[in-house]
Amino acid sequence: SEPLDVERIREDFPILEREFRGEQLVYLDNAATSQTPDPVVDAISHYYRHTNANVHRGLHHLSQEASIAYEEAHDRVAEFIGAEGREEVVFTKNATEAVNTVAYAWGLAELGPGDEIVLTEMDHHATLVTWQQLAKKTGADVKFIRVDEEGYLDVDHARELITDDTAMVSMIHVSNTLGTINPVEAIGEIAHDHDALYFVDGAQSVPHMPVDVQAMDADFFAFSGHKMCGPTGIGVLYGKERLLEEMQPYLYGGMMIEKVTYEDSTWHDLPWKFEAGTPVIAQGIALAEACDYLDDIGMENVQRHGEELAEYAYDRLSEFEDIDILGPPGDDRAALVSFNLDGVHAHDASEILNEYAVAVRAGDHCTQPLHDKLGIPSSTRASFYIYNTKAEVDKLVAALDEARQLFA
Ligand code: PMP
């Protein structure tokens, strides 16, 4: 694979030229939301200017065009993640809505006292809170696979925790806080050995590496468009066709029905059964465009570039004795680095970085229990994508050095 032509890529992201008080933006908050390239913005604009109509499969030309484009967007996303076809790809509002769909459509019907849901200590609130609250509603129990000192998942502990009482194993693929890349295939095998279902949260993996939901044998898989060059307002729930067929819908209304009488209703084919009401038409079409955009660069190239930057940032930050980096070593992590500067609150550090127009995240990154476990209130996170450069990492490090001296 080829190295990325970052200068060329940056031309697609005019937002990167923005300056704040004379400093050029260094956007290192990609794990929260990535920037949106011109071809994706153009796809949204083109849709509204030329094709906008509801997708009732109306008989008029516009509706037919919009319907075909929207349906084909499902095929494109299916191809991007290695799903069998559009039947297995449900468009939602975001990854959070995707996990809630499984929790309510599957979990509320299937879980009860004696059932166990196994999560990991590094799971994001999107899945952790959802399964925790569903457990409270259903009487199921929740258990957490341990994260070890280095920030890796303890697979032996997973083998102990996952038993024949386990109904669902839900795991984050790539940790948005630690940068850990979890062994999705190994955990999936353990889950299936005990006839548990397997849900993978791919919000931080799909944007950054080639993903094949069938290779990891995920029963369900979720991610968001806005972290992968797509727009906000769209997420994806992948589910194995057989499971989605068996499940009852979670949202009811128009578009998701086949036949309705005053007494009862039947459901439309997959995936429409799970897309009640007017769906995310423009967002879905734009997400397909984002898949094209990333595939043109090549997901192996995307992955290598992000991980190289993370390793470089890890090495440069390691030069400072008073910086603690969370998670695995520099050469074994995804495209992000979270850290704490001794004696400086993450919010103060990020405010100083902001003076240099370096945009990072400070807080718990929707992993409060993990931060509690680590004994820290918060951390600062720099996260990278296809348009970032080593020079930008250098600017981050220089700005942090200023922060250290200010607070020393
Ligand atoms: N899971 C992970 C690992 C995430 O990083 C995020 C986004 N921070 C989510 C789930 C939730 O994504 P969204 O807010 O788009 O629903």
Side-chain angles (χ1 to χ4, degrees):
S1 50
E2 302 289 314
L4 293 199
D5 187 351
V6 175
E7 286 315 309
R8 164 68 206 82
I9 288 171
R10 289 179 73 92
E11 288 171 10
D12 292 332
F13 296 86
I15 200 170
L16 298 175
E17 287 160 27
R18 286 208 58 190
E19 292 187 2
F20 297 90
R21 287 198 235 129
E23 297 278 351
Q24 192 179 346
L25 171 66
V26 172
Y27 188 77
L28 303 180
D29 195 16
N30 294 286
T33 284
S34 66
Q35 294 304 339
T36 321
D38 281 344
V40 173
V41 177
D42 291 346
I44 298 167
S45 155
H46 186 273
Y47 169 76
Y48 282 116
R49 284 164 175 250
H50 298 278
T51 317
N52 185 35
N54 213 321
V55 289
H56 292 114
R57 275 284 183 189
L59 285 180
H60 62 81
H61 290 301
L62 277 184
S63 176
Q64 286 181 14
E65 259 183 51
S67 300
I68 289 168
Y70 183 65
E71 290 168 12
E72 286 179 353
H74 288 69
D75 298 334
R76 183 66 189 89
V77 171
E79 187 196 355
F80 194 72
I81 58 168
E84 292 269 351
R86 68 171 67 158
E87 298 74 19
E88 299 187 323
V89 171
V90 177
F91 285 174
T92 61
K93 181 176 68 176
N94 49 32
T96 303
E97 190 178 278
V99 61
N100 274 271
T101 299
V102 178
Y104 283 88
W106 170 82
L108 207 54
E110 299 295 332
L111 293 175
D115 289 326
E116 294 180 356
I117 303 167
V118 174
L119 311 178
T120 79
E121 287 181 339
M122 64 172 99
D123 277 310
H124 187 278
H125 294 168
T127 48
L128 194 154
V129 178
T130 302
W131 291 119
Q132 173 195 72
Q133 294 305 312
L134 192 83
K136 287 187 195 294
K137 275 191 209 304
T138 58
D141 287 320
V142 184
K143 302 196 161 169
F144 294 91
I145 304 169
R146 200 180 298 131
V147 174
D148 72 16
E149 306 254 287
E150 270 193 299
Y152 290 110
L153 200 67
D154 182 341
V155 179
D156 287 332
H157 191 224
R159 282 200 188 86
E160 276 170 46
L161 279 193
I162 300 169
T163 68
D164 291 346
D165 292 330
T166 310
M168 169 59 73
V169 176
S170 170
M171 183 174 79
I172 193 167
H173 188 175
V174 167
S175 164
N176 64 308
T177 298
L178 301 172
T180 314
I181 303 167
N182 282 319
V184 266
E185 297 189 14
I187 300 295
E189 258 180 52
I190 302 171
H192 289 140
D193 281 347
H194 294 280
D195 291 328
L197 290 183
Y198 186 39
F199 180 101
V200 178
D201 169 3
Q204 296 294 345
S205 60
V206 176
H208 293 281
M209 58 181 66
V211 162
D212 185 332
V213 291
Q214 293 193 66
M216 73 179 75
D217 204 14
D219 295 302
F220 301 105
F221 187 92
F223 57 102
S224 282
H226 66 90
K227 297 180 199 280
M228 53 180 289
C229 294
T232 52
I234 181 155
V236 174
L237 170 64
Y238 159 84
K240 285 183 183 163
E241 189 176 354
R242 173 181 56 81
L243 293 167
L244 293 179
E245 279 296 352
E246 286 167 9
M247 276 157 52
Q248 288 297 304
Y250 151 58
L251 294 170
Y252 298 95
M255 319 277 286
M256 52 75 69
I257 48 83
E258 182 187 64
K259 172 112 183 86
V260 179
T261 66
Y262 285 120
E263 287 73 36
D264 207 357
S265 306
T266 58
W267 314 136
H268 201 345
D269 297 335
L270 291 176
W272 324 120
K273 175 173 112 175
F274 291 103
E275 294 188 8
T278 298
V280 284
I281 308 168
Q283 296 92 325
I285 291 168
L287 178 61
E289 187 68 32
C291 293
D292 285 347
Y293 186 83
L294 289 172
D295 271 343
D296 280 348
I297 295 171
M299 287 309 294
E300 275 96 3
N301 298 327
V302 171
Q303 178 173 20
R304 199 189 46 248
H305 182 73
E307 292 180 5
E308 266 175 24
L309 286 177
E311 181 170 4
Y312 181 67
Y314 185 96
D315 289 346
R316 294 256 14 230
L317 293 172
S318 301
E319 289 166 17
F320 300 105
E321 275 177 12
D322 52 356
I323 290 183
D324 274 334
I325 303 177
L326 313 188
D331 60 359
D332 189 27
R333 55 166 54 237
L336 63 91
V337 180
S338 304
F339 55 89
N340 269 304
L341 190 54
D342 264 3
V344 183
H345 195 281
H347 287 119
D348 295 331
S350 83
E351 255 175 48
I352 290 172
L353 294 179
N354 190 44
E355 303 265 309
Y356 296 88
V358 177
V360 295
R361 190 72 147 198
D364 57 49
H365 322 305
C366 295
T367 55
Q368 273 180 31
L370 178 66
H371 277 77
D372 286 347
K373 176 193 157 83
L374 297 173
I376 49 177
S378 57
S379 55
T380 305
R381 179 182 71 191
S383 54
F384 310 104
Y385 212 21
I386 44 181
Y387 33 70
N388 291 126
T389 63
K390 286 189 176 161
E392 290 181 315
V393 175
D394 290 338
K395 191 168 172 196
L396 163 78
V397 173
L400 271 174
D401 200 20
E402 293 283 326
R404 294 167 66 232
Q405 288 168 25
L406 255 176
F407 282 90

